[in-house]
Amino acid sequence: KANDGGASLFREARLADAVLVITGVDGEGGGLQGGSAEPKLLELLLHETARYPGVVLLCCSSYDKYDAVVHALAPTLLAAMRAVVQFELPDEATRGRLWRMLLPPACAGLVDFDLLAKESH
């Protein structure tokens, strides 16, 4: 965490025309809500996020948690959002296809992809 509220991160991201990915906005893993960060630091981070001209992805484990964080910390941030996309977790069949695509072909005889898909939810 930068002492400048993340301003240097956003400055570097502007120079690189980067896509920023911010995780933990729902308090999972000590993120923004329920985390140990100072409220002033959070305010600066959210301010920089709203000003950033590029793409900023705020990752959260559920829309309800995201909504609570945004409304509790910075209601104006929601107005700055151009899109809010909710991704559903893949079902078992899709997880099986993903595992088959992602693991090296050498694993085909060693891994039970159906069991892996069932267990990895």
Side-chain angles (χ1 to χ4, degrees):
K1 295 179 185 175
N3 291 335
D4 62 0
S8 59
L9 168 76
F10 283 90
R11 191 170 35 258
E12 291 294 320
R14 275 187 196 89
L15 292 172
D17 196 25
V19 172
L20 290 175
V21 179
I22 301 172
T23 61
V25 296
D26 56 2
E28 300 292 321
L32 295 180
Q33 183 181 24
S36 60
E38 296 290 325
K40 188 157 184 91
L41 178 62
L42 298 176
E43 197 174 303
L44 288 168
L45 175 64
L46 293 171
H47 173 74
E48 290 293 333
T49 300
R51 290 183 47 221
Y52 187 68
V55 175
V56 179
L57 301 175
L58 299 175
C59 301
C60 177
S61 62
S62 76
Y63 183 80
D64 291 338
K65 289 182 178 182
Y66 159 80
D67 193 48
V69 169
V70 169
H71 283 91
L73 295 176
T76 56
L77 181 61
L78 191 56
M81 299 283 171
R82 291 186 178 79
V84 176
V85 180
Q86 183 174 353
F87 292 97
E88 298 294 328
L89 293 174
D91 61 15
E92 189 174 323
T94 304
R95 288 192 307 269
R97 287 192 304 275
L98 287 169
W99 283 118
R100 284 178 179 82
M101 287 177 9
L102 294 172
L103 291 176
C107 293
L110 305 171
V111 174
D112 182 341
F113 290 105
D114 294 328
L115 179 61
L116 188 57
K118 185 176 183 175
E119 301 272 331
S120 61
H121 50 87

